[in-house]
Each structure stands twice: as structure tokens, then as C-alpha cells.
């Protein structure tokens, strides 16, 4: 089958398009699907670079949409349109999906949105409802506010009546963040914390959602209010250095968390609950996905380049078939 394969981890050029990759075979707790669209996520770049480990050769990718080819238990009919996450190897014509990580795609959701809605949508959902159940009148800061997760988290936080301060790198991204519901938008700077506090009545924000990591982390500690939460959920600019817990004291008894989708979908029915909230939001029009880039499968390397060079906005997908 056609697939992207990585034989040696490294830069985007290691994403090799091949037409001779052996199709996978599902175990009893998996379902084999034919992939129409695969989502491109920042985590895919961590695997490609070897920051997260996978044995080589491997096919990257975590999520997508397509039709069921074979369910070894015979529970899901062949041809059912599904979307999934946590299926490693989704940059391919076929992938085995854990049966507890797929959903039927409701009518009215377009294939590009379906291909990227679960990983980023569920992440945004657990950030805004799970890490802390953000309340009306609370304030938060979201870094990379015009990115895939950023635009979704902004919409969800704004819909709950929270004040969202968004951090972005360009005027175009600032406009997108505003459209998503940010009440004020800032550019990255060493004075970010001071600027945000000034805007927030002189006090720090209740929660910081930082998916940028290394470049923004020290400002994230500065901008949170005493006893507030710094939620470090990614490392788009590189991983944060190890830190002395005493820093949490000197910044006002703040909380630091480094969450994952795994932990926030592990509870009984939790994946289904978050997936349902995301798909319902899309169908009802209250949650909008911006598809900022569609690339043919063979051009996965270019998709990664654009994502890492900060050229993309919203969500990025690969058209597989
Ligand atoms: P994005 O679409 O947000 O793309 C990354 C964005 O990060 C860029 O567009 C850019 O926006 C910003 N950025 C800031 N500094 C840099 C830098 N030095 N290099 C590259 N980008 C930079 O990606 P995703 O929505 O896929 O992911 C966002 C973050 O969320 C990632 O860190 C990812 O790992 C994390 N994540 C975490 C999950 C979890 O459960 N913990 C699950 C899913 C995603 P700008 O130009 O505006 O700065």
C-alpha cells in the first residue's frame, strides 16, 4: 500500500513516500480502516525527530477518517464511515485503529474536518473542561492561539464566558484568534506577562495554556495569578528545561501540570464523552475547525515543514485517497 515511512528519524525529508509498504493486519481489539484523510499534528513531528520514540521503520500519524474495511469481531459493518485517534501509522492507505478510539462520523461533517477533529478537538476539550473547568469571568492565556489546538481551545473558553488572551506571531494569526473569540491578542515578547496583566486589571490570569514550551514558559510562570494553574501541554518551540519546584512557591504557590490526551481519556466513557462534545459542536456550528492546509499524502514532508516553520493556521491534513 501507499504510505509515508520513516527509516531514520530526523528532519521533514525523512518522511518518505512509498508504494510498497505492507498493509497492516488487525488484532481482535482493532479495526482495519481505509484512510481517506489523515490529520497532521505537532506530535507527529516529535516522533519524526525521535523526541518521542518509535522503532524504525515506522509510519507516523495518529488520526484520520475513512471507511471500515474489516472488523475481526464483526461488530462494525464494512464501509462504515469513521474517525479515530491514537492509531499510530495513520499516514497510510490502511491503518489498524483501536476499537475504543473510533467514532462514527455524523452526517454534515466534511472529510477534512473529520480527519482532524478528534485529537485536536479532544485536547482542547480536556484543557478547557478537564485540567480546570474554566468558569465564566475567569481569564486565561493561550499560546499559539491561531494553531490547531489554539483556535479550538479559544472557542471553547470564550463560549464558557472566560476572557481569553491569545499569543500569536503575525497579524493574520491575530485576526483569526480574535474571530475565534479572544478578547485581546498579544505578540510573543519578554514583556508579555506585563502586557497581559495590564490588560487584566493588573492581576495575573487564572490559567495559562502553554503549548509552545521553551520559548514561552518563563513568561507563563510570570503571567499566572497566585494559586493559578500553568498548563504546559506541548513543546512547539522545544522542551522546557528541568526546573526547581521552589519556583512554584516564589511565583505565588502556583500549580504546574503537563497533561496528555491519554490521561484525560482514560476514565470510563471519557473518550466517548469528549468526542461527543466535539462532534456535536461541529454539527451544531458552535465549534468551527479551520482547515489551514490540505496536502497530498506524498507531500507530508512539506506539511511538516510548513507546520514547524509556523506557516500554518488552524488544522492541517493529508489527503490520502
Ligand atoms: P499548531 O497548529 O499550534 O502549530 C504550532 C504553533 O506553535 C505554530 O503555528 C506557532 O504559532 C507556534 N510556535 C511558537 N513557537 C514556535 C516555534 N519555535 N516553532 C514552531 N512553532 C512555534 O500545532 P498543534 O495544534 O498540532 O499543537 C499545538 C501544541 O499542542 C503542540 O505543542 C502540541 O505538541 C501540543 N499538543 C498537546 C497535546 C497533549 O495532550 N498534551 C495534544 C495535542 C497537541 P505562532 O506562529 O502563532 O507562534
Amino acid at each position: 500500500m501507499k504510505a509515508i515511512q520513516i527509516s531514520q528519524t530526523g528532519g521533514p525529508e525523512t518522511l518518505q513516500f512509498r508504494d510498497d509498504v505492507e498493509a497492516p493486519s488487525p488484532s481482535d481489539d482493532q479495526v482495519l480502516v481505509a484512510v481517506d484523510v489523515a490529520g497532521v499534528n505537532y506530535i507527529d513531528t516529535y516522533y519524526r525527530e525521535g523526541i518521542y520514540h518509535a522503532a524504525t521503520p515506522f509510519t507516523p500519524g495518529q488520526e484520520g477518517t475513512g471507511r471500515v474495511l474489516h472488523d475481526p469481531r464483526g461488530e462494525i459493518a464494512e464501509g462504515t464511515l469513521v474517525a479515530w485517534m491514537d492509531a499510530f501509522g495513520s499516514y497510510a492507505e490502511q491503518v489498524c485503529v483501536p476499537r475504543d478510539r473510533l467514532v462514527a462520523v455524523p452526517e454534515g461533517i466534511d472529510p477534512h474536518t473529520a480527519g482532524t477533529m478528534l485529537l485536536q478537538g479532544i485536547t482542547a476539550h480536556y484543557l478547557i473542561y478537564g485540567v480546570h473547568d474554566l468558569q465564566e469571568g475567569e481569564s486565561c492565556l493561550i499560546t499559539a492561539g491561531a494553531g490547531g489546538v489554539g483556535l479550538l481551545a479559544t472557542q471553547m473558553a470564550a463560549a464558557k464566558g472566560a476572557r481569553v488572551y491569545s499569543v500569536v506571531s503575525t497579524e493574520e494569526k491575530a485576526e483569526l484568534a480574535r474571530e475565534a473569540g479572544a478578547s485581546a491578542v498579544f505578540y510573543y515578547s519578554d514583556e508579555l506577562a506585563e502586557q497581559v496583566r495590564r490588560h487584566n486589571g493588573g492581576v495575573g490570569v487564572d490559567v495559562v495554556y502553554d503549548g509552545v514550551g521553551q520559548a514561552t514558559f518563563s513568561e507563563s510562570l510570570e503571567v499566572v495569578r497566585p494559586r493559578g494553574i500553568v498548563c504546559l501541554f506541548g513543546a512547539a518551540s522545544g522542551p522546557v528545561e528541568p526546573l526547581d519546584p521552589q519556583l512554584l512557591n516564589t511565583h505565588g504557590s502556583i500549580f504546574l501540570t503537563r497533561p496528555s490526551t491519554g490521561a484525560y481519556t482514560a476514565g470510563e466513557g471519557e473518550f466517548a464523552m469528549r468526542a461527543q462534545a466535539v462532534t456535536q459542536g461541529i454539527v451544531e456550528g458552535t465549534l468551527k475547525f479551520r482547515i489551514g492546509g490540505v496536502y497530498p499524502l506524498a507531500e507530508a514532508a512539506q506539511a511538516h515543514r510548513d507546520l514547524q516553520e509556523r506557516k500554518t493556521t488552524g488544522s492541517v491534513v493529508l489527503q490520502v485517497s
Side-chain angles (χ1 to χ4, degrees):
M1 66 172 183
K2 292 179 186 143
I4 297 295
Q5 203 174 59
I6 293 179
S7 305
Q8 202 179 356
T9 54
E13 70 286 351
T14 61
L15 295 164
Q16 297 287 321
F17 177 73
R18 302 183 59 146
D19 60 7
D20 59 352
V21 175
E22 199 181 324
S25 172
S27 64
D28 197 49
D29 53 7
Q30 294 175 325
V31 174
L32 182 69
V33 297
V35 183
D36 292 332
V37 175
V40 176
N41 289 282
Y42 224 90
I43 192 173
D44 304 338
T45 71
Y46 306 148
Y47 277 104
R48 193 204 72 220
E49 290 174 353
I51 296 169
Y52 289 177
H53 181 72
T56 52
F58 67 90
T59 294
Q62 305 267 339
E63 68 169 344
T65 185
R67 293 195 180 269
V68 170
L69 283 175
H70 176 58
D71 175 2
R73 284 194 207 159
E75 291 169 358
I76 307 175
E78 193 183 320
T80 305
L81 184 61
V82 291
W84 62 85
M85 61 183 276
D86 292 345
F88 198 67
S90 289
Y91 288 11
E93 285 185 311
Q94 294 182 24
V95 68
C96 292
V97 179
R99 65 175 64 244
D100 61 355
R101 283 294 184 264
L102 57 71
V103 298
V105 178
E107 228 167 275
I109 299 185
D110 70 85
H112 292 153
T113 299
T116 189
M117 66 184 178
L118 288 184
L119 205 161
Q120 297 185 344
I122 283 177
T123 300
H125 191 271
Y126 87 68
L127 291 177
I128 303 304
Y129 290 84
V131 166
H132 169 68
D133 193 9
L134 206 60
Q135 298 296 308
E136 184 172 359
E138 287 189 321
S139 56
C140 66
L141 182 85
I142 301 180
T143 63
V149 175
L151 282 177
L152 301 170
T154 301
Q155 292 174 66
M156 289 183 193
K160 290 181 100 181
R163 285 190 307 289
V164 181
Y165 303 122
S166 196
V167 195
V168 299
S169 63
T170 66
E171 183 46 44
E172 186 211 354
K173 291 184 177 186
E175 195 46 46
L176 292 171
R178 275 187 215 104
E179 275 169 24
S183 37
V185 184
F186 300 85
Y187 294 107
Y188 299 93
S189 115
D190 293 344
E191 282 143 34
L192 177 67
E194 202 185 307
Q195 292 167 0
V196 172
R197 277 170 186 280
R198 219 179 298 137
H199 219 89
N200 198 42
V203 296
V205 298
D206 296 291
V207 190
V208 179
Y209 300 104
D210 187 355
V212 168
Q214 201 174 73
T216 46
F217 187 67
S218 63
E219 287 302 297
S220 293
L221 296 180
E222 294 296 329
V223 77
V224 74
R225 70 163 166 83
R227 293 161 58 176
I229 301 169
V230 173
C231 172
L232 176 69
F233 69 99
S237 67
V240 169
E241 295 290 315
L243 60 88
D244 179 353
Q246 181 62 11
L247 266 180
L248 307 180
N249 172 3
T250 55
H251 283 83
S253 300
I254 60 174
F255 295 84
L256 172 65
T257 183
R258 177 60 179 88
S260 68
T261 51
Y264 279 91
T265 54
E268 180 71 34
E270 201 174 10
F271 169 78
M273 176 273 287
R274 297 197 195 286
Q276 162 71 18
V278 171
T279 53
Q280 192 174 327
I282 300 170
V283 170
E284 290 175 355
T286 53
L287 184 65
K288 296 200 165 56
F289 274 71
R290 174 182 169 82
I291 305 301
V294 181
Y295 300 76
L297 178 63
E299 288 173 27
Q302 191 57 44
H304 276 217
R305 261 181 223 112
D306 290 349
L307 184 63
Q308 290 189 286
E309 289 171 8
R310 305 165 79 164
K311 290 181 181 158
T312 65
T313 56
S315 309
V316 174
V317 297
L318 301 176
Q319 188 74 54
V320 178
S321 63

